[in-house]
Amino acid sequence: MSERSRNGRILHADTRLVHEGILRSEFGETSEALFLTQGHVYASAEECEARFTGDSPGFLYARFSNPTVSMFEQRIASFEGAEAARATATGMAAVTAALMGLLQAGDHIVSARALFGSCRYVVAELLPRFGVASTLVDGTNLDAWREAVRPETKVFFLESPANPTLEVIDIQAVAQIAREVGAKLVVDNVFSTPVWQKPLELGADCVVYSATKHIDGQGRCLGGVVLGSEEFILTHIHTLLRQTGPSMSPFNAWVLLKSLETLPLRVERQTRTAAELADALAGHSRIRRLTYPGRADHPQADIIARQMKGGSTLIALEIEGGKAGAFRFLNALNLVRISNNLGDAKSLITHPATTTHQRFTPGERAEMGVREGLVRLSVGLEHPGDLIDDLVQALDRV
Ligand SMILES: *Cc1c(COP(=O)(O)O)cnc(C)c1O
């Protein structure tokens, strides 16, 4: 199956999410098969040799590739509009591989400072241990990116919208600066999903996902993926992943592959509900600040209108009364569950300062915009009315 239908027309992205990448076996199964195998057998020693040299295409060993994992990779690459993808065991394996694949001792990375806690660990603590200097900047300030550049700057890294503040960065403008200084731009696109934002079209060199989030969307499997041009993946990612082994399990690939079929349906519905919730909650006396990409009062509403096709399934709320107020709010919820995950069919709420961003100092948290009263709401597939009822009764009890 290719991106074109039999009459040569390019298929729409939603169609490709259902049909692209199928490797149908001799049994002609309708649903994609789960190939739970570590390896493969060869008809002859010559055939085996040809597989290893690459002269004969095909599978070798599940650390390198697997038919079910390949189906997942082809399907997500097609939807993203990327030439190539490599699946990883987790989103963090994807982030780490993308950065380690691009950098070596003596290099420098500039990163937006509003980051998922583990991403910030990799940039600010892990990479420096291997001789890579890092500078964290306010990603919304384009001059800050320019001023941080050194002769040895090789990579720019950002999340947009960022976890958990939902701050938005002008990807096109940052990509332009990266090009001018000869750096590669890596974008963690988890929060917008490929449904609403295509960083490669905006000039990024590489996109990474935690497939654990909206791509699974039902809270089951961990997974990640690195996407880019064929040349980018072969030069920087392919060998690193094969030799170091953060491979996606075929079982997880099968779950995530089937989940891709419904990704736009779920994300569109969750976003519509989130927008309705944001409007219903804005102005509540117990909310000090509500940030929702998609509302006109978002600080970067103009950039969102340019670079995102839709809003977000997430809402950031700063509750009155700091940590105590946020805890009273969380503890008063009945339907929305307290959990640090996101993108799930079930609505989930997190207090980042004591969970995902707990290991940072209060100063670092303040710098990232993670205030003591901040909660991150991930909107699920429930009826909006039930969610509004639950959230409002809990806010009333703050
Ligand atoms: C969750 C998350 C990750 C890490 O993904 P895992 O699958 O948990 O390893 C990376 N970046 C962002 C923005 C995330 O939300």
Side-chain angles (χ1 to χ4, degrees):
M1 193 77 202
S2 80
E3 288 188 14
R4 285 169 191 277
S5 64
R6 286 211 179 91
N7 64 13
R9 231 189 312 225
I10 301 222
L11 295 168
H12 290 90
D14 292 3
T15 307
R16 301 203 304 270
L17 270 183
V18 182
H19 289 278
E20 186 70 22
I22 295 178
L23 296 171
R24 205 160 257 139
S25 83
E26 65 194 284
F27 300 115
E29 63 281 357
T30 314
S31 174
E32 296 75 355
L34 167 51
F35 291 95
L36 263 188
T37 179
Q38 294 170 342
H40 301 266
V41 295
Y42 313 98
S44 66
E46 288 77 11
E47 168 65 14
C48 184
E49 180 186 26
R51 252 345 133 76
F52 272 80
T53 58
D55 291 334
S56 160
F59 297 95
L60 291 164
Y61 184 54
R63 171 150 51 77
F64 296 177
S65 59
N66 167 277
T68 310
V69 176
S70 278
M71 288 192 261
F72 169 75
E73 290 169 340
Q74 285 180 42
R75 191 165 287 183
I76 180 90
S78 167
F79 190 61
E80 188 71 38
E83 287 173 11
R86 290 294 183 275
T88 53
T90 65
M92 282 322 302
V95 170
T96 307
L99 300 182
M100 297 272 255
L102 284 165
L103 292 159
Q104 61 184 31
D107 289 346
H108 175 238
I109 175 173
V110 184
S111 169
R113 67 190 178 195
L115 290 180
F116 178 62
S118 302
C119 292
R120 185 158 165 142
Y121 162 79
V122 171
V123 169
E125 295 181 49
L126 182 68
L127 290 174
R129 278 177 35 200
F130 296 91
V132 175
S134 64
T135 305
L136 296 168
V137 298
D138 171 0
T140 62
N141 178 354
L142 296 176
D143 290 332
W145 288 94
R146 268 192 210 94
E147 283 158 19
V149 170
R150 305 179 190 169
E152 61 275 19
T153 303
K154 294 287 161 53
V155 175
F156 280 11
F157 178 62
L158 63 87
E159 281 172 31
S160 182
N163 183 359
T165 56
L166 306 185
E167 162 183 306
V168 166
I169 296 173
D170 187 337
I171 296 176
Q172 209 157 13
V174 174
Q176 175 65 33
I177 300 170
R179 248 193 320 276
E180 283 164 23
V181 303
K184 300 271 190 244
L185 173 61
V186 179
V187 175
D188 179 334
N189 204 38
V190 166
F191 267 48
S192 57
T193 83
V195 176
W196 296 141
Q197 180 169 276
K198 298 274 173 42
L200 297 176
E201 287 174 8
L202 298 167
D205 299 284
C206 175
V207 182
V208 291
Y209 288 103
S210 164
T212 314
K213 310 293 168 56
H214 302 82
I215 292 175
D216 177 306
Q218 290 153 85
R220 298 160 297 188
C221 293
L222 295 173
V225 61
V226 186
L227 299 117
S229 69
E230 188 81 40
E231 194 221 340
F232 179 92
I233 295 292
L234 286 178
T235 309
H236 302 289
I237 308 298
H238 177 81
T239 307
L240 177 79
L241 287 180
R242 282 187 164 213
Q243 306 304 333
T244 61
S247 326
M248 177 181 277
S249 104
F251 178 80
N252 288 9
W254 180 77
V255 172
L256 298 167
L257 171 69
K258 299 305 289 177
S259 299
L260 281 176
E261 295 178 348
T262 56
L263 177 70
L265 285 180
R266 290 181 284 105
V267 169
E268 282 163 21
R269 166 70 191 266
Q270 286 167 259
T271 301
R272 210 162 52 233
T273 304
E276 204 174 321
L277 262 55
D279 288 343
L281 299 180
H284 192 286
S285 66
R286 301 287 87 201
I287 297 177
R288 180 172 290 184
R289 186 199 310 241
L290 180 149
T291 312
Y292 181 69
R295 269 177 66 86
D297 60 4
H298 188 287
Q300 290 97 28
D302 54 326
I303 300 170
I304 293 167
R306 275 206 311 275
Q307 77 184 15
M308 296 179 72
K309 288 204 279 292
S312 173
T313 66
L314 293 125
I315 306 172
L317 300 167
E318 194 185 339
I319 308 296
E320 290 288 353
K323 176 183 167 185
F327 273 30
R328 275 197 297 276
F329 174 51
L330 263 57
N331 290 334
L333 290 162
N334 298 315
L335 181 61
V336 177
R337 304 311 306 262
I338 301 168
S339 174
N340 45 291
N341 203 5
L342 62 97
D344 200 286
K346 295 179 174 61
S347 290
L348 303 175
I349 198 156
T350 308
H351 182 245
T354 53
T355 58
T356 52
H357 293 69
Q358 190 205 121
R359 55 188 305 281
F360 299 104
T361 65
E364 287 168 334
R365 279 200 291 274
E367 188 188 281
M368 285 186 267
V370 180
R371 295 183 192 78
E372 294 300 309
L374 181 76
V375 299
R376 184 193 73 198
L377 173 63
S378 168
V379 177
L381 289 170
E382 302 92 340
H383 190 285
D386 293 333
L387 293 171
I388 292 170
D389 283 352
D390 191 37
L391 292 160
V392 170
Q393 67 78 29
L395 282 170
D396 290 344
R397 290 165 65 188
V398 169

